């Protein structure tokens, strides 16, 4: 909603208790939902401190994957990071590759559309570098924050707040339209504004 509305909450004595721009509040809440929980490491496969590869579970589809959507999946599972690999059939599409530490992938509940392709590699701990090979057509990203269920609950709470504010704006628009109609009817009946 591009219109800027202001809500005033008044006490019984007429004192304005709250004056807020709902458009600004919704914009602020939406920007709070963008969690930057990853960073680009380099081209090629992600490597741990000893140069080991991580176990991988790539997406079976290439549609819709970008840095942020893949990061969201890795963050939700508390993974060390992810890779984006160019689709060999379509260079404009990417495959999201989730990275797991050694001996953890078999216990994970993978998101829909992901499957294990390489396991029992030795990668462990935080991602420390990448293989640097441009020919592999993949980019390595490491997690900069670890999964915290409280953050997810906060984000869900923010989404609920945004939805509630948007509903209130819709209700206020209806109320304003009804008041304008009533005022117009009163003006028409008396010939002058009340």
């Amino acid at each position: 909603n591009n219109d800027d509305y202001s809500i005033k909450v008044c006490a019984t004595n007429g004192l304005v208790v709250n004056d807020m721009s709902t458009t600004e509040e919704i914009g602020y809440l939406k920007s709070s939902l963008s969690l930057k929980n990853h960073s680009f490491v380099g081209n090629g496969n992600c490597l741990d401190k000893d140069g080991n590869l991580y176990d991988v579970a790539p997406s079976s589809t290439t549609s819709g994957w970008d840095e942020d959507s893949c990061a969201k999946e890795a963050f939700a599972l508390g993974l060390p990071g992810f890779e984006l690999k160019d689709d060999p059939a379509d260079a404009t599409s990417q495959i999201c590759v989730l990275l797991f530490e050694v001996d953890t992938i078999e216990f994970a509940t993978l998101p829909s559309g992901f499957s294990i392709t390489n396991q029992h590699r030795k990668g462990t701990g935080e991602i420390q570098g990448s293989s640097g090979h441009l020919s592999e057509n993949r980019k390595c990203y490491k997690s900069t924050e670890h999964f915290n269920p409280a953050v997810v609950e906060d984000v869900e709470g923010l989404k609920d707040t945004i939805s509630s504010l948007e509903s209130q704006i819709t209700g206020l628009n209806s109320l304003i339209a009804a008041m304008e109609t009533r005022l117009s009817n009163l003006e028409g009946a008396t010939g002058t504004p009340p």
Side-chain angles (χ1 to χ4, degrees):
N1 191 349
N2 291 333
D3 296 327
D4 194 18
Y5 297 97
S6 181
I7 298 174
K8 294 185 187 319
V9 179
C10 299
T12 55
N13 63 2
L15 176 68
V16 175
V17 180
N18 187 9
D19 185 5
M20 68 176 218
S21 164
T22 54
T23 303
E24 289 174 14
E25 292 296 318
I26 290 171
Y28 170 76
L29 291 171
K30 284 184 176 177
S31 69
S32 298
L33 296 177
S34 301
L35 300 173
K36 185 69 172 178
N37 53 16
H38 61 282
S39 63
F40 178 68
V41 175
N43 292 313
N45 294 96
C46 293
L47 305 172
D48 71 2
K49 65 180 174 47
D50 296 321
N52 295 314
L53 296 169
Y54 293 85
D55 291 347
V56 298
S59 61
S60 59
T61 178
T62 59
S63 64
W65 291 112
D66 62 15
E67 181 182 334
D68 290 329
S69 59
C70 194
K72 179 181 171 187
E73 298 295 340
F75 180 72
L77 292 170
L79 301 178
F82 63 94
E83 296 169 351
L84 284 174
K85 178 181 176 184
D86 290 344
D87 180 0
D90 178 8
T92 63
S93 298
Q94 297 178 327
I95 296 169
C96 175
V97 181
L98 300 177
L99 304 177
F100 293 80
E101 292 185 68
V102 65
D103 298 328
T104 62
I105 198 168
E106 57 269 10
F107 303 109
T109 301
L110 297 176
S112 177
F114 285 82
S115 60
I116 300 169
T117 57
N118 288 307
Q119 66 184 88
H120 305 298
R121 292 175 167 181
K122 297 185 189 311
T124 186
E126 190 174 309
I127 293 170
Q128 297 293 317
S130 68
S131 60
H133 299 296
L134 290 171
S135 62
E136 292 175 1
N137 296 321
R138 65 174 71 209
K139 295 183 183 318
C140 170
Y141 297 85
K142 74 176 184 175
S143 296
T144 56
E145 293 182 29
H146 295 288
F147 176 71
N148 180 347
V151 171
V152 173
E153 289 172 12
D154 287 348
V155 169
E156 291 305 315
L158 287 173
K159 288 179 183 177
D160 291 344
T161 300
I162 289 170
S163 178
S164 175
L165 285 170
E166 288 174 338
S167 294
Q168 289 176 23
I169 288 172
T170 301
L172 287 171
N173 285 336
S174 297
L175 180 60
I176 290 168
M179 291 174 76
E180 288 173 342
T181 300
R182 185 167 181 216
L183 181 60
S184 176
N185 290 341
L186 287 172
E187 287 175 349
T190 62
T192 59

